[in-house]
Amino acid sequence: MGPRLGIREVLLREVPSNMTDVVLLPYDRLSLRHGSMAGVHPETTEILVIESEGMLRSRTWHAQRLFLLMSAAAHVEQELRDSGFTVHTVSADTMSAGIVQFREVNPDSRIRCTEPSSRTSQKALLDCGVELVPDDTFVTSRAQFRDWAGDRRPLLMETFYRWQRTRLNILMDAGSPVGGTWNLDKENRLPPPKGAHPWPAPLHHEPDEIDQRVWQSILERDLPITGAAPNGTWATTRAGALRQLAYFLESGLADFGPYEDAMPADSWSVNHSLLSPYLNLGLITAEEVVDAVVTRFNAGDIPLASAEGFIRQVIGWREYVNGVYWLFDDDYRDSNALQSTRPLLPLFEDPSCTQMACASSVVTDVLDRGWAHHIPRLMILSNLALIAGVKPDEFLSWMKAMFIDAADWVMVPNVIGMGLHADGGTMMTKPYAAGGAYVKRMGRFCKGCAYDPAKRSGDTACPLTTLYWDFLDRNRDSLRGNHRMAQQFAGLDRLSDLDDVRTRARMVLDGLSAGTI
């Protein structure tokens, strides 16, 4: 990676001689080399780990998500003890209560922590007098993103991505993009092959003694969980994260680009890296990942379209979403510009509640592993919630509980801004609504499904196709002025069977709410 500007913006003040330097290590801030842990030594710094009972019981978590949070933290805690650090563990109702409890016993402690992953946590830590250190596991600090955003609106991700490539000197040649173009998305939209394809087999991560102990504790404490038990899909250590990165470079990167949007029937992971949970926990950093991909590309055996497509996800979309989350106001998460009022559909919790092959398959994948790649998330799960008018806060809560790589900064912009257009276009310029034709083109779900993606009315019409047109019809007033929607509304105006679509839509919405369609 080329030269970076301003990643470490704050130099820590020297700790007064009468105070003990303490680093608070939350479950999702586990880097031992960055943020508040940069440059620390066992002789001068102690570690504080707080187990918040309120967080653990705040919702019904996907079993693998809760397990990953707890086991990854347990591994890091053990590594710190083995390295000679004094590690204080506190169990409390909340993080704030744990800090107060620790200070009662250790009043002469200066506590600091890497910037947290949610606004709620940040406020709680600041209210408790915890000093926050910039999170440099990202390559763009919050201050840098604010400076880039300035007064510009809309905040186009493409503009941000080009700024990133230029300032970080990634895939650049004398100030111009390698290959002469910034964006190779047109080469990266292949549907799944029609025949058998040698997709990379996902790595299996064998559980160790700490993993087993943590899982047993979850069961014995009867913590609220759903979905499949841990099954070796996800590593719980930095070493495991590095193995996953090495495996992706060897087996997945070369064909990542062409099939990054594909939804085959014979692979849940396709050529994706499966690195997002480790990045979001701090077990591996964006800089490490991008440096490794650029090095492999420079070796000459990786197509530019694949290297560029992957790097776009890391330094483009991921950093953009984090920046947007911290840029927008606190009440952004409560946005509901389309006035959606439908409760969460039963199929999101029980895939047997629908005959839609695509929705049933993707929700089953989520229950099995806590993960689906970005296109099933956006064009099946979020798209269905959007065009069915599901309440944004209920869908957001489900996504945060179910996905292995969820964090508040991840899910709020992706759900409120991109997925459900609940912010009215503050983040994205148009709703990402689609009918069954897109799913048929990019996936392998429609063959054998009870519904026909080519039909918009009638008993066998695909619910996505019906609801797509009904969504446009229901939201004419709020969306018609959007210049990027002109073609869609021109199509709506040409429908000769709109009354039949409306009738079918009422049946579909009632059936989805009842878990019968």
Side-chain angles (χ1 to χ4, degrees):
M1 186 179 292
R4 290 163 47 190
L5 305 177
I7 292 301
R8 193 175 301 280
E9 299 165 333
V10 178
L11 295 177
L12 295 174
R13 300 189 301 273
E14 290 187 6
V15 182
S17 58
N18 64 333
M19 299 191 75
T20 302
D21 183 42
V22 178
V23 169
L24 173 63
L25 213 60
Y27 281 169
D28 61 351
R29 288 293 178 263
L30 299 180
S31 174
L32 299 184
R33 300 162 182 81
H34 296 82
S36 57
M37 290 296 294
V40 300
H41 299 284
E43 298 81 7
T44 56
T45 301
E46 298 179 2
I47 309 299
L48 173 60
V49 177
I50 297 176
E51 183 177 88
S52 167
E53 191 74 12
M55 186 280 286
L56 297 178
R57 298 187 183 277
S58 62
R59 64 186 75 225
T60 299
W61 299 97
H62 194 296
Q64 294 179 46
R65 170 157 166 68
L66 187 60
F67 167 74
L68 175 59
L69 288 174
M70 296 178 69
S71 189
H75 279 90
V76 167
E77 183 178 343
Q78 186 61 53
E79 182 178 347
L80 288 167
R81 292 184 189 278
D82 291 345
S83 299
F85 282 91
T86 297
V87 180
H88 304 273
T89 57
V90 176
S91 295
D93 290 340
T94 65
M95 178 71 76
S96 298
I99 293 171
V100 171
Q101 184 176 326
F102 175 77
R103 279 194 167 131
E104 288 176 351
V105 181
N106 304 273
D108 296 326
S109 297
R110 171 212 185 191
I111 304 176
R112 51 195 176 88
C113 180
T114 304
E115 291 172 328
S117 61
S118 75
R119 287 180 171 273
T120 301
S121 295
Q122 176 162 290
K123 182 179 185 306
L125 293 179
L126 291 174
D127 287 347
C128 288
V130 174
E131 298 180 31
L132 300 184
V133 179
D135 179 10
D136 57 345
T137 61
F138 290 90
V139 296
T140 315
S141 71
R142 299 174 189 178
Q144 285 175 307
F145 189 87
R146 286 195 299 271
D147 290 344
W148 170 81
D151 295 327
R152 73 171 81 214
R153 297 295 185 274
L155 298 171
L156 296 179
M157 201 286 284
E158 180 67 25
T159 304
F160 172 73
Y161 171 63
R162 295 183 184 190
W163 177 73
Q164 290 279 78
R165 287 268 300 274
T166 301
R167 77 180 184 91
L168 299 171
N169 193 29
I170 296 173
L171 296 182
M172 299 293 291
D173 182 11
S176 298
V178 170
T181 184
W182 294 99
N183 188 325
L184 293 164
D185 273 358
K186 290 182 179 179
E187 298 181 33
N188 290 349
R189 293 174 179 162
L190 292 182
K194 292 184 177 180
H197 183 79
W199 305 109
L203 275 183
H204 177 79
H205 301 277
E206 193 67 27
D208 61 17
E209 185 275 333
I210 293 177
D211 291 326
Q212 294 168 1
R213 171 165 50 83
V214 168
W215 178 240
Q216 190 61 34
S217 171
I218 290 173
L219 296 178
E220 290 176 354
R221 295 166 63 182
D222 196 26
L223 294 177
I225 56 175
T226 188
N231 51 24
T233 299
W234 306 105
T236 56
T237 64
R238 172 168 167 80
L242 292 173
R243 283 196 303 272
Q244 185 66 51
L245 172 59
Y247 183 71
F248 170 64
L249 295 174
E250 291 299 323
S251 65
L253 178 58
D255 284 338
F256 170 83
Y259 296 117
E260 68 174 301
D261 288 0
M263 298 181 287
D266 54 346
S267 174
W268 62 270
S269 55
V270 200
N271 286 83
H272 290 269
S273 72
L274 308 185
L275 292 172
S276 56
Y278 315 126
L279 284 163
N280 294 353
L281 293 181
L283 295 177
I284 197 169
T285 70
E287 183 175 11
E288 287 178 296
V289 171
V290 172
D291 280 348
V293 169
V294 170
T295 298
R296 187 57 191 266
F297 169 73
N298 289 338
D301 60 343
I302 302 296
L304 177 60
S306 287
E308 187 276 322
F310 181 77
I311 287 171
R312 170 185 296 269
Q313 289 195 357
V314 180
I315 69 166
W317 184 250
R318 182 175 183 270
E319 304 260 333
Y320 170 81
V321 166
N322 185 59
V324 163
Y325 175 85
W326 293 104
L327 179 71
F328 289 168
D329 293 335
D330 289 353
D331 59 359
Y332 178 81
R333 66 185 307 113
D334 300 319
S335 302
N336 189 3
L338 299 179
Q339 301 299 304
S340 299
T341 59
R342 191 169 302 279
L344 187 74
L345 303 178
L347 67 85
F348 287 115
E349 296 178 326
D350 180 0
S352 69
C353 288
T354 183
Q355 300 176 63
M356 298 172 62
C358 59
S360 177
S361 176
V362 174
V363 173
T364 297
D365 278 344
V366 174
L367 289 171
D368 286 348
R369 305 173 193 89
W371 191 88
H373 76 71
H374 63 285
I375 294 301
R377 294 191 202 200
L378 177 64
M379 302 310 297
I380 295 180
L381 301 178
S382 297
N383 179 41
L384 179 58
L386 168 68
I387 61 181
V390 172
K391 295 177 183 178
D393 61 335
E394 293 196 10
F395 186 66
L396 173 61
S397 180
W398 180 80
M399 293 285 285
K400 285 183 62 177
M402 295 301 293
F403 275 84
I404 195 81
D405 53 5
D408 207 54
W409 71 263
V410 174
M411 290 304 179
V412 171
N414 272 298
V415 170
I416 300 300
M418 188 174 195
L420 300 195
H421 201 70
D423 65 355
T426 303
M427 178 178 169
M428 310 302 294
T429 55
K430 71 169 184 175
Y432 276 81
Y438 178 89
V439 175
K440 181 179 180 180
R441 181 171 69 254
M442 296 306 298
R444 291 292 179 262
F445 305 108
C446 296
K447 185 178 181 180
C449 181
Y451 303 111
D452 185 346
K455 294 181 179 179
R456 57 180 173 259
S457 60
D459 291 343
T460 61
C462 173
L464 293 178
T465 304
T466 299
L467 293 182
Y468 168 75
W469 293 109
D470 187 65
F471 169 80
L472 294 177
D473 185 42
R474 296 193 318 265
N475 292 283
R476 284 175 184 266
D477 293 342
S478 58
L479 295 177
R480 187 131 206 179
N482 188 320
H483 70 282
R484 294 196 65 194
M485 300 291 290
Q487 183 177 352
Q488 289 90 326
F489 280 107
L492 178 67
D493 291 340
R494 289 194 296 269
L495 294 189
S496 59
D497 59 346
L498 185 55
D499 285 340
D500 293 336
V501 170
R502 291 168 176 158
T503 299
R504 170 64 174 165
R506 301 290 78 73
M507 295 175 60
V508 168
L509 290 170
D510 289 346
L512 287 172
S513 293
T516 59
I517 200 165

